[in-house]
Amino acid sequence: MQTAIEIAKVDHQLIVRLNQAWTRRATVCSPDKWSVDEVFDPARPDYPERMVPFFHHPKFQALSETLKSSVVTWGWIGYNLRTVTAEEHVVNPALSVIANQYLGKDDWHFREAMQQTLIDEHYHTLMHLRAIERTKADRALDQDLDLPPSVTYLRLLALRESLAEQWQKDLAAITFAVVAEISVNAYLDLLADDQTIQPQNRRVAEQHNRDEYAHSKVLAEVAKVMYANMQPPQQAFFARTLSQALSAFIAQDYSMWEAILTQLGVEDAALIIADTRESNKNATIMRDYSGLHRLAQDLGISEQIDFDFRPTLNTTAAA
């Protein structure tokens, strides 16, 4: 009975329409369409200053303009590096498992959607790697900073390490990928809409964002089919692990910024980060979890999820 209910809520025609439109909408199918003609402007920041959590801290503002600019630039590079990690080590492996293990022979259109999405995501990796190299060339950067992985990624690694069965490890990655794909637009919107940053950088976010609006719809429907194909123990594990993934994506994380400040020689790095952490100790990093809230309702697992969705609905803020 449960499977029939879940399948009835799947918007099959939406997936068909998205699949048919892929060659027209996907960035990878027409990369030159979104090229930018503006030349590099050294006076423009590479990353939105309003998204640097300590930008207005007195100690940071007291730094030279050159050093402040370098911190912001490395924030942009760090964002791209973390995006590559998310694509290559979380999303792509998870989508492959979904396609090969959780979709049946009668789920062709959903399998097709997964393959299209995988192609998009691999191209996103290339886009972000190019963005890093272009930025280093434009800024004449001859050093590399050792930037840590995101707390979200580290939580996934720790979770997978604690699990005994391979299917559990796979499903853990899938839940993190589902949360990422259905909630990433709020963050990308901020980058794509910011007119203060380098046009090339804004366009990378805009291109990525266009694809992710489709991906969020695809993953919401595919998750319903996948869940219906699961056995009860897998369904229970999925709901339980989804709670952990939801929490991981809104966890405060200043590790990258601390590494940047420290390695660029900012003397008051520890104080700046400590003050920033203290001023935000009661806050959470917000993402728009509206789509995930609807998914939980459609799957009938809202009561099984240990997470308060209320502060995360219809919200746009930085990660």
Side-chain angles (χ1 to χ4, degrees):
M1 180 65 69
Q2 184 182 41
T3 297
I5 292 173
E6 304 303 345
I7 291 177
K9 292 182 178 179
V10 176
D11 191 343
H12 190 277
Q13 288 306 309
L14 172 63
I15 298 301
V16 171
R17 292 194 299 271
L18 287 171
N19 290 353
Q20 292 173 341
W22 182 63
T23 55
R24 298 191 302 276
R25 64 172 170 77
T27 302
V28 67
C29 295
S30 54
D32 295 336
K33 180 179 179 180
W34 311 107
S35 61
V36 175
D37 296 327
E38 292 99 325
V39 297
F40 171 73
D41 178 0
R44 282 180 180 247
D46 289 300
Y47 188 76
E49 294 173 347
R50 65 194 176 106
M51 294 171 67
V52 178
F54 45 76
F55 189 79
H56 295 291
H57 191 287
K59 292 290 187 180
F60 184 75
Q61 283 299 310
L63 302 176
S64 69
E65 292 301 317
T66 299
L67 185 50
K68 285 192 290 186
S69 176
S70 293
V71 171
V72 174
T73 293
W74 277 102
W76 166 250
I77 293 173
Y79 153 71
N80 282 277
L81 288 171
R82 286 187 167 188
T83 300
V84 170
T85 296
E87 302 284 25
E88 292 296 291
H89 298 290
V90 181
V91 175
N92 292 348
L95 297 187
S96 294
V97 173
I98 292 174
N100 293 304
Q101 298 183 29
Y102 287 98
L103 297 178
K105 60 183 178 63
D106 296 326
D107 298 326
W108 158 243
H109 291 299
F110 300 97
R111 177 68 183 269
E112 181 182 21
M114 284 291 89
Q115 293 306 129
Q116 290 177 347
T117 302
L118 274 166
I119 294 170
D120 290 344
E121 300 294 9
H122 282 297
Y123 187 68
H124 292 167
T125 294
L126 179 59
M127 285 167 47
H128 288 281
L129 288 173
R130 284 174 172 169
I132 293 169
E133 292 308 305
R134 184 179 64 244
T135 299
K136 287 184 174 181
D138 288 340
R139 297 291 183 183
L141 297 178
D142 58 0
Q143 67 179 131
D144 280 315
L145 301 188
D146 183 14
L147 303 182
S150 70
V151 66
T152 304
Y153 180 59
L154 292 176
R155 286 191 183 186
L156 172 59
L157 293 182
L159 174 60
R160 284 171 55 89
E161 185 66 25
S162 71
L163 300 170
E165 303 292 336
Q166 186 60 46
W167 69 266
Q168 295 173 321
K169 296 177 187 288
D170 290 339
L171 267 185
I174 287 172
T175 58
F176 273 68
V178 167
V179 172
E181 291 294 288
I182 299 181
S183 67
V184 71
N185 289 116
Y187 181 80
L188 288 172
D189 282 341
L190 292 176
L191 290 173
D193 295 340
D194 196 301
Q195 300 298 318
T196 69
I197 64 175
Q198 295 292 336
Q200 289 278 12
N201 297 357
R202 183 177 63 79
R203 189 52 58 89
V204 168
E206 185 178 31
Q207 291 173 326
H208 194 158
N209 206 24
R210 284 174 57 87
D211 289 340
E212 293 301 341
Y213 270 107
H215 294 177
S216 65
K217 297 175 182 177
V218 167
L219 262 294
E221 302 309 314
V222 167
K224 298 173 193 176
V225 176
M226 175 184 69
Y227 187 82
N229 289 340
M230 291 179 187
Q231 297 300 313
Q234 295 172 315
Q235 292 179 335
F237 181 86
F238 179 84
R240 185 167 63 253
T241 310
L242 190 62
S243 305
Q244 296 173 264
L246 290 164
S247 296
F249 276 91
I250 61 169
Q252 292 284 1
D253 181 10
Y254 300 112
S255 60
M256 180 188 78
W257 292 110
E258 185 170 18
I260 291 171
L261 291 175
T262 301
Q263 293 175 53
L264 290 181
V266 176
E267 292 183 2
D268 295 306
L271 175 62
I272 292 171
I273 293 299
D275 287 348
T276 303
R277 184 176 283 113
E278 176 66 21
S279 65
N280 292 297
K281 65 180 180 180
N282 295 320
T284 55
I285 292 178
M286 307 306 292
R287 294 171 76 97
D288 185 356
Y289 278 177
S290 301
L292 291 156
H293 185 242
R294 287 192 299 272
L295 175 63
Q297 291 177 321
D298 287 344
L299 295 180
I301 61 175
S302 297
E303 297 301 318
Q304 300 175 51
I305 295 178
D306 182 18
F307 183 82
D308 182 6
F309 278 102
R310 290 172 298 178
T312 66
L313 302 181
N314 299 318
T315 300
T316 301

